């Protein structure tokens, strides 16, 4: 009996699947616009080991193609740019305020070969393609394009790691130094201009991130409206009165352009509103 019952269940399941496929095929043939079902949804924010990233409500920008995984804390006014990956899937990653992780950069931790979290302070810039692996970057530091800061290393405050440099594991970069080369060594001390550029870089990136956040948050309808407004503005002459102007010039006693016809003579509804 058990064998017959299981066969009935299997047959019913197969019939249900076939019926579902038939319905799906029929629905697809009736569609006006082709619909493609995406098997992998957005993975911008991902839990790992039952721990989800902690993101400040004041974080400026996380790009649609960026990934934050596991035990990651992102501070206020900080940003993670296009294609960057921040993985806390075995240890903790902490990113302070007004810091930025550049395009395609990788920030990771170590758990098997040693036990190192990653800590990134305030006003830190990690430039595109850089790798920060189980290391500490203190406040006001810059890691150049394609540079690597490896396991157990500590980069002090007001430091610059030049593009392509490789800071070897368990290396300490003292405060206020510029390092370069592979393996990286001290090149010189930072100057007053260097420190000013570090500060301005973090501030300018935070401002730029706000613009990208605004654009990336737009709906499809808003994007279409922007395109229509742009096409309209390009087709108009220089003397065209733009709809977003607030100047209240009076033309022939009839009011501002665009409002000439909003009076009780040509638009009786306006008169009724005035009486109310």
């Amino acid at each position: 009996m058990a064998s017959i019952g299981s066969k009935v269940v299997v047959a019913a399941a197969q019939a249900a699947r076939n019926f579902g496929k038939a319905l799906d095929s029929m629905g697809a043939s009736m569609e006006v616009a082709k619909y493609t079902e995406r098997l992998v949804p957005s993975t911008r924010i991902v839990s790992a080991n039952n721990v989800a990233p902690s993101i400040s409500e004041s974080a400026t920008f996380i790009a649609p193609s960026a990934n934050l995984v596991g035990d990651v804390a992102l501070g206020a006014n900080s940003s993670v740019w296009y294609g960057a990956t921040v993985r806390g899937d075995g240890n903790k990653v902490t990113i302070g305020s007004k810091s930025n992780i550049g395009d395609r950069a990788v920030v990771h931790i170590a758990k098997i070969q040693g036990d190192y979290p990653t800590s990134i302070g305030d006003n830190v810039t990690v430039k595109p393609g850089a790798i920060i692996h189980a290391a500490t970057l203190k406040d006001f530091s810059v890691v150049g394009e394609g540079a690597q800061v490896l396991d157990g290393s500590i980069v002090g405050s007001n430091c610059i790691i030049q593009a392509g440099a490789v800071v070897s594991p368990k290396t300490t970069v003292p405060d206020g130094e510029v390092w370069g080369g592979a393996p990286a060594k001290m090149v010189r001390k930072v100057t007053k201009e260097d420190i000013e550029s570090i500060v301005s870089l973090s501030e300018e990136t935070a401002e730029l991130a706000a613009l990208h956040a605004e654009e990336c948050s737009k709906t499809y309808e808003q994007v279409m409206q922007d395109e229509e407004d742009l096409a309209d503005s390009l087709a108009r002459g220089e003397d065209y009165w733009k709809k977003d102007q607030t100047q209240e010039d009076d033309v022939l006693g009839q009011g501002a352009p665009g409002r000439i016809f909003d009076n009780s003579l040509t638009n009786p509804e306006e008169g009724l509103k005035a009486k109310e």
Side-chain angles (χ1 to χ4, degrees):
M1 292 293 293
S3 177
I4 295 175
S6 63
K7 290 180 179 179
V8 170
V9 171
V10 171
Q14 183 65 46
R17 282 196 296 269
N18 292 336
F19 182 67
K21 289 178 181 179
L23 285 177
D24 184 66
S25 178
M26 182 176 66
S29 66
M30 296 170 63
E31 289 176 343
V32 177
K34 180 64 177 177
Y35 173 75
T36 301
E37 182 175 346
R38 300 190 181 280
L39 298 179
V40 182
S42 172
T43 53
R44 187 165 56 161
I45 310 298
V46 182
S47 297
N49 302 321
N50 296 318
V51 180
S54 173
I55 301 168
S56 169
E57 294 182 358
S58 303
T60 307
F61 176 55
I62 301 173
S65 56
N67 303 104
L68 272 66
V69 182
D71 195 359
V72 175
L74 183 66
N77 299 314
S78 289
S79 55
V80 182
W81 290 78
Y82 303 95
T85 300
V86 182
R87 287 174 52 196
D89 51 353
N91 219 320
K92 187 175 183 64
V93 176
T94 304
I95 300 173
S97 62
K98 205 178 286 188
S99 292
N100 58 89
I101 309 301
D103 305 74
R104 308 179 316 283
V106 175
V107 178
H108 198 205
I109 48 81
K111 189 67 177 176
I112 299 175
Q113 299 295 328
D115 189 0
Y116 298 108
T118 291
S119 176
I120 297 176
D122 301 333
N123 296 276
V124 174
T125 296
V126 177
K127 291 193 175 183
I131 296 175
I132 311 300
H133 198 275
T136 296
L137 307 179
K138 294 188 177 180
D139 300 345
F140 297 99
S141 57
V142 175
V143 178
E145 293 88 344
Q148 300 181 36
V149 183
L150 302 179
D151 303 42
S153 296
I154 300 174
V155 176
S157 300
N158 295 311
C159 285
I160 298 175
I161 306 302
Q162 294 179 337
V166 178
V167 179
S168 303
K170 298 183 180 180
T171 298
T172 298
V173 178
D175 295 350
E177 293 185 358
V178 178
W179 281 44
K185 298 186 180 300
M186 190 188 84
V187 176
R188 59 178 175 82
K189 294 286 187 178
V190 296
T191 63
K192 180 181 177 181
E193 290 74 19
D194 289 330
I195 295 174
E196 291 174 351
S197 69
I198 291 172
V199 175
S200 63
L201 180 59
S202 66
E203 292 177 348
E204 290 169 3
T205 305
E207 293 174 1
L208 183 60
L211 295 177
H212 280 257
E214 181 181 357
E215 288 297 317
C216 289
S217 66
K218 288 183 177 179
T219 63
Y220 170 75
E221 290 81 5
Q222 289 173 315
V223 173
M224 291 297 294
Q225 186 62 54
D226 286 349
E227 291 180 354
E228 290 175 5
D229 291 343
L230 176 60
D232 183 72
S233 65
L234 294 175
R236 301 284 184 175
E238 295 181 358
D239 57 346
Y240 171 66
W241 183 270
K242 297 180 178 59
K243 66 179 182 180
D244 58 348
Q245 289 185 228
T246 58
Q247 186 176 353
E248 296 291 340
D249 289 343
D250 184 75
V251 178
L252 300 175
Q254 296 296 314
R259 300 182 182 178
I260 292 177
F261 302 106
D262 292 338
N263 56 62
S264 58
L265 293 177
T266 58
N267 191 353
E269 290 81 1
E270 294 297 317
L272 294 175
K273 290 179 182 178
K275 288 183 178 181
E276 292 176 358

